[in-house]
Amino acid sequence: MTMQGEVKEVQLVEVGPRDGLQNDPTILDVETRVAFITRLVDCGIRRIEAVSFVNDKRVPAMAGAEAVMAALPRREGVSYIGLTLNQRGFDRALACGVDEANYVVCASETFNQRNQGAPRAATLETMHGIARQAADAKLPLSLTVATAFGCPFEGEVDPAIVLDIARQAADAGVREIALADTIGATDPYSVKRLVAMTRAAVPDLQLRCHFHNTRNTGLANAYAAVEAGVTVLDASCAGIGGCPFAPKATGNIGSEDILYMLDRMGIRHGVDLPALIETAKWIEAELGHPTAAQVSKAGLFPKAAE
Ligand code: ZN
């Protein structure tokens, strides 16, 4: 078990092509999404949430998941993650050759019903079947616990619910669990507490954290997670994800922002930061509006060698 202050290396899971683009007002075509993901791979990122297997009509920004997967460059050590919310999504993920599947259960009952159109108990039940299928197919399966730190409909979320989901995931054979602050509501101390409780409940599961910067606490929360020993963090290039014209922007923490901070802290991450900043500028141009992350605006310090 990693103790506080011992983290030497953090793995970034890039979620911009999924969580980011899914929530952006600009809808990109398959070719541009493939180009985005390819650039992220070229930056040295090794785990990328590339697609989501949802209803194309309900989520037009994620349409064509199969076409994206078919067009992506396959490179040694690069893992493309497909997000799945139900059995049908998982079947599609399995059929089109993702390297990992990420299943979602919402800690909040109301959010689960709105997000997945099913009661939480049913979504959990499906997880057990999916985990068996994943094991048979030798497909790594992660679980994201959405609204783990708060729900827009129910308010505070009882950590006991998160821990129950985590225990069920461990029993089912899920190998990694992501605690997600879906609406960017939490604070660093709450992060430390929930990470510690989750680790105690499921000591064999790898822990990952997923933060949104909705209330500008995202980077502080990520720091708290690392201090608590978490070594895998979700983030999105350029901090994409929220509508920049709406007051309730809900983007993920920016990949280049969190990696810059880790760099300065002497924590390894294996990503070419100048190249990632160029990719952030590129995706900003493709989306046609300003993006939220900041390091790509100010540049690195000290300046990268030219
Ligand atoms: Zn998210």
Side-chain angles (χ1 to χ4, degrees), residues 15 18-19 23 180-182 210-212 234 250 252:
V15 298
R18 201 284 303 170
D19 208 347
N23 295 302
D181 186 15
T182 308
H210 176 107
F211 296 115
H212 282 255
D234 289 0
T250 55
N252 297 89

Side-chain angles (χ1 to χ4, degrees), residues 41-261:
V41 170
D42 289 340
C43 292
I45 297 173
R46 288 297 165 261
R47 290 178 78 194
I48 301 174
E49 202 167 77
V51 288
S52 178
F53 296 95
V54 286
N55 186 326
D56 287 0
K57 290 197 182 68
R58 264 193 73 193
V59 191
M62 291 291 101
E66 282 80 0
V68 170
M69 283 306 302
L72 285 176
R74 306 309 288 241
R75 304 217 188 124
E76 183 72 27
V78 172
S79 187
Y80 297 125
I81 306 170
L83 188 86
T84 65
L85 302 179
N86 49 38
Q87 182 69 51
R88 180 171 153 64
F90 181 77
D91 292 340
R92 287 174 64 195
L94 207 53
C96 77
V98 298
D99 301 296
E100 294 179 54
N102 190 51
Y103 187 65
V104 180
V105 176
C106 306
S108 150
E109 177 65 43
T110 310
F111 201 90
N112 200 87
Q113 296 200 13
R114 298 223 186 179
N115 196 51
Q116 271 139 283
R120 188 179 64 226
T123 301
L124 266 169
E125 187 57 40
T126 303
M127 174 188 75
H128 288 273
I130 283 175
R132 280 191 292 275
Q133 276 180 279
D136 289 345
K138 297 193 165 38
L139 183 73
L141 177 67
S142 302
L143 176 76
T144 291
V145 185
T147 60
F149 298 93
C151 169
F153 311 114
E154 295 184 7
E156 302 284 1
V157 166
D158 183 354
I161 297 171
V162 177
L163 302 184
D164 175 58
I165 295 170
R167 284 191 197 95
Q168 291 202 43
D171 290 345
V174 168
R175 61 154 208 172
E176 179 189 71
I177 186 167
L179 302 175
D181 186 15
T182 308
I183 58 163
T186 197
D187 65 273
Y189 284 5
S190 297
V191 169
K192 283 191 177 187
R193 278 195 295 272
L194 193 60
V195 165
M197 284 189 278
T198 307
R199 176 169 289 123
V202 289
D204 296 332
L205 281 194
Q206 176 160 278
L207 285 188
R208 186 172 116 214
C209 281
H210 176 107
F211 296 115
H212 282 255
N213 201 33
T214 318
R215 293 172 179 81
N216 215 18
T217 54
L219 219 53
N221 293 333
Y223 170 71
V226 171
E227 280 280 285
V230 171
T231 57
V232 190
L233 291 174
D234 289 0
S236 75
C237 180
I240 58 176
C243 175
F245 309 111
K248 51 174 186 173
T250 55
N252 297 89
I253 57 172
S255 299
E256 61 272 29
D257 290 0
I258 180 71
L259 293 182
Y260 171 79
M261 187 183 81

